[in-house]
Amino acid sequence: MFGFNKTSAPAFQNLTPAQFAEGLRQPGAVLVDVRRPDEFAAGHLPGAVNIEVTAPDFGQRVAALDKTKPTYVYCRSGARSANAAGQLTTAGFAQVSNLLGGVMDWPGQLTTK
C-alpha cells in the first residue's frame, strides 16, 4: 500500500554497446571484464582489467578499485556482468554500467594484449 515492499530498480545501468562505448570515453572510466581468465585471454575490450566474478577473491579484488570512478563491466553475454554490477553497487560503487549482450554484441575489435 505504501510501497515499502516494492523491489527497487537495480542501482546500475544496462547500456547498449553504443552507450557503453560512449561512457568509456569519460575521464577516469574503469573497464572490468568479469569472465574467466581463459576467456579474457582469447579476446577482450582494449583497456579492460580481468576480475572474474565467480572467483572466490572477486570481492577482495574489486575492493581495490576506486568506488568513485565510473565503472563499466562486461562478460560474454551480459548475465555474469549483471551479477557483478549488482555486487559492485552493493559494495558502494557510485556509477556502475553493464554491457547488454556482452562481447557477443560488441561491434568493435577485441584485443589479446
Side-chain angles (χ1 to χ4, degrees):
M1 177 164 150
F2 295 104
F4 294 124
N5 294 326
K6 288 186 179 175
T7 307
S8 62
F12 62 89
Q13 295 182 343
N14 285 308
L15 302 179
T16 64
Q19 293 168 323
F20 197 85
E22 181 67 29
L24 287 175
R25 293 188 189 103
Q26 291 181 75
V30 177
L31 179 60
V32 181
D33 183 322
V34 299
R35 300 176 298 159
R36 295 185 321 266
D38 62 310
E39 292 175 289
F40 182 81
H44 55 271
L45 275 63
V49 60
N50 185 214
I51 304 177
E52 182 184 358
V53 68
T54 58
D57 65 345
F58 177 77
Q60 183 180 7
R61 291 190 61 202
V62 297
L65 300 175
D66 187 340
K67 294 180 181 182
T68 65
K69 292 188 176 181
T71 306
Y72 293 81
V73 295
Y74 73 93
C75 64
R76 181 178 161 275
S77 66
R80 284 177 285 178
S81 54
N83 176 343
Q87 290 184 52
L88 291 171
T89 56
T90 299
F93 281 74
Q95 184 183 343
V96 180
S97 299
N98 175 46
L99 175 59
L100 288 171
V103 294
M104 291 185 0
D105 286 350
W106 185 251
Q109 287 286 89
L110 299 180
T111 184
T112 55
K113 295 180 184 179

